[in-house]
Amino acid sequence: MKYILLIFGLGLAFIFLISTITSIAERQKRATFLSFLGLILLPTLYIAPLLLINDATNYYSYALIALSITFIIALLYNPHDPKYKTSTPNHIFDERDTMFSRMELVPGTEKYNQYYATKPENEEKDNLFRQQPGLLSPKAIFYNPLAFSAADANFYTVSKLGPFINDKVSSTKVEIDADDLSIFVKEWVKKLGAIDVGICLMKDYHYYHTKGRRETYGKKIAPRYQYGIALTVEMSEQMIKAAPKGSVIMESAEQYLKSGVIAVTLAALLRNLGYEAQAHIDGNYEVICPLVARDAGLGEIGRMGLLMTHNLGPRVRIAVVTTNAPLQPYNGKVGDESVIEFCTKCKKCAENCPSQSIPYDDRSISDNTLRWKINSESCFTYWTKVGTDCGRCIQVCPYSHPNNLMHNMIRFGIKHSKLFRIMALHLDDLFYKRKPPLGKLPYWVEYKPSK
Ligand code: SF4
Ligand code: SF4
């Protein structure tokens, strides 16, 4: 009995020690205090009876051990619940319906009139964002000349990658085994700076049917590639912390550029090997990146409509390369029911969304697809009011915590245990608050005008 108590006590001490050290490193005062309290109190429950063996402590120890074993068995329970099944889109989307496409419509032009003639229900909603100062505008609420100019510089650079997303294919085809090329591509892309990479067989719903940006507006998209390679890059937690202030759009722009450079380089590699390949990067998409990434095994689509990845949740940006090179697509289970279940109960993003654009209800059918559909118009109107891409939902999400031992253990628990999912929801609120205060901008991003 002594040894069992000792093992439980030391196990708990280990967990709370890791939690304390991690919370100190992350400068989370409240989480540090609670972890330290756990470190002192919980192991003591197990170790104290060892110092005082008598009849009373014997009963206490047996009860404690029985309770602990029951708890561990309950943690292993992870039933499949069809209510949380991952869903496959049953609809081909039009890029012209995206907010970035609608933002480019100029009142009085033919494009503008054509679009709102087919979608009159959108005009009134879109006029609301047209009345706002705009993204990166000096008149926006969170205007910061340093942050906005840096973001603009990154967006400018990524826009210059446009001509390189597709190019001439080498006339010399290198014959290569699909497994070997897949391994090379995955390892190389990670070496170039991606956090995760996956490959999937392209399906019709991965593609938009019509392009909606800039000079390609209205061009029909013909699905013509067999495989999609999805890659994710991390958005810095430090920069997201102050969302929706200026650092968030700096970070988005930087990671659009980084993922864009990797995707363009990867597409060039595949063309050098003699195979057609096209990169899909910021402003130049023919595919819906989160759906390609989900089917390539990189995560699941959560309540806020973003890809929830295994180790960083929604705190990533995605780029895709489509190609006809021989590759080995992901053949594991697509999606993640534990994410759907967790999101169904959590709703933290919905409660913290400043424009109340994220639904509180369960998934419902929208565009023939079972999903959570955010109110893109009110979200985008908020962006154009504050000048940034907000990101408050990403910042508060319990899956967004840093990629380290403690948070990965928690994410593992959430994935594999129903009881742990319930506990994690409450513990996240307890340690980090249900409505976390807005973080500070990194000191070097703060703008102090000269006197
Ligand atoms: S905050 Fe909660 S509900 Fe929203 S995406 Fe994250 S886990 Fe899901
Ligand atoms: S980006 Fe901001 S406004 Fe848009 S859904 Fe997320 S929290 Fe809401």
Side-chain angles (χ1 to χ4, degrees), residues 30-238:
R30 184 183 167 99
T32 304
F33 172 73
L34 291 169
S35 304
F36 188 67
L37 209 62
L39 176 64
I40 302 294
L41 295 182
L42 290 178
T44 310
L45 289 179
Y46 290 83
I47 291 170
L50 294 175
L51 310 171
L52 205 74
I53 298 285
N54 58 37
D55 278 354
T57 51
N58 268 346
Y59 286 131
Y60 167 82
S61 305
Y62 281 124
L64 193 63
I65 291 172
L67 207 67
S68 307
I69 291 175
T70 313
F71 176 70
I72 291 171
I73 292 170
L75 276 181
L76 298 176
Y77 183 61
N78 193 26
H80 161 74
D81 188 338
K83 188 178 165 202
Y84 303 120
K85 225 175 105 197
T86 194
S87 83
T88 304
N90 204 5
H91 181 81
I92 313 280
F93 292 88
D94 183 342
E95 198 191 17
R96 291 172 298 183
D97 289 329
T98 63
M99 296 314 296
F100 280 104
S101 172
R102 283 147 69 179
M103 179 187 74
E104 288 173 12
L105 295 173
V106 180
T109 59
E110 198 190 327
K111 254 191 226 171
Y112 181 100
N113 294 338
Q114 257 175 13
Y115 179 76
Y116 291 112
T118 52
K119 293 280 167 80
E121 69 278 14
N122 287 347
E123 189 168 14
E124 202 180 321
K125 292 183 264 181
D126 290 359
N127 282 338
L128 293 177
F129 78 70
R130 291 199 177 92
Q131 288 160 17
Q132 303 301 330
L135 277 175
L136 300 180
S137 163
K139 294 194 180 122
I141 290 175
F142 291 125
Y143 174 63
N144 171 324
L146 297 173
F148 281 24
S149 299
D152 196 40
N154 275 323
F155 282 129
Y156 166 82
T157 314
V158 76
S159 74
K160 296 293 167 196
L161 294 176
F164 307 110
I165 58 170
N166 210 339
D167 211 336
K168 234 177 82 206
V169 178
S170 163
S171 52
T172 320
K173 186 170 278 182
V174 176
E175 297 302 332
I176 185 161
D177 183 79
D179 281 331
D180 292 342
L181 183 58
S182 302
I183 292 169
F184 181 86
V185 160
K186 287 182 182 174
E187 293 303 319
W188 189 55
V189 165
K190 283 186 193 163
K191 188 170 179 305
L192 291 177
I195 287 286
D196 211 355
V197 196
I199 301 165
C200 76
L201 267 179
M202 290 300 287
K203 309 258 174 64
D204 285 350
Y205 64 77
H206 291 137
Y207 289 93
Y208 291 114
H209 63 71
T210 308
K211 293 202 76 163
R213 301 295 301 275
R214 302 176 193 142
E215 59 286 347
T216 58
Y217 189 93
K219 190 183 147 210
K220 293 286 170 216
I221 295 169
R224 61 195 174 102
Y225 296 102
Q226 199 180 357
Y227 300 110
I229 305 166
L231 61 98
T232 55
V233 294
E234 179 172 5
M235 293 177 77
S236 146
E237 212 239 342
Q238 283 305 311

Side-chain angles (χ1 to χ4, degrees), residues 104 152 224 252 260 279 310 384 391 429 450:
E104 288 173 12
D152 196 40
R224 61 195 174 102
S252 294
H310 305 301
T384 50
D429 289 350
S450 57

Side-chain angles (χ1 to χ4, degrees), residues 71 75 342 418-428:
F71 176 70
L75 276 181
F342 194 83
K418 190 172 183 75
L419 176 61
F420 197 90
R421 283 194 279 284
I422 298 167
M423 286 169 45
L425 267 175
H426 297 294
L427 287 175
D428 196 84

Side-chain angles (χ1 to χ4, degrees), residues 302-304 308 314 339 342-350 358 393 396-399 425:
R303 181 179 287 275
M304 59 177 97
M308 311 284 285
V339 171
F342 194 83
C343 278
T344 301
K345 294 174 182 148
C346 167
K347 306 179 185 178
K348 198 166 181 171
C349 51
I358 301 175
C393 44
V396 300
C397 179
Y399 281 95
L425 267 175

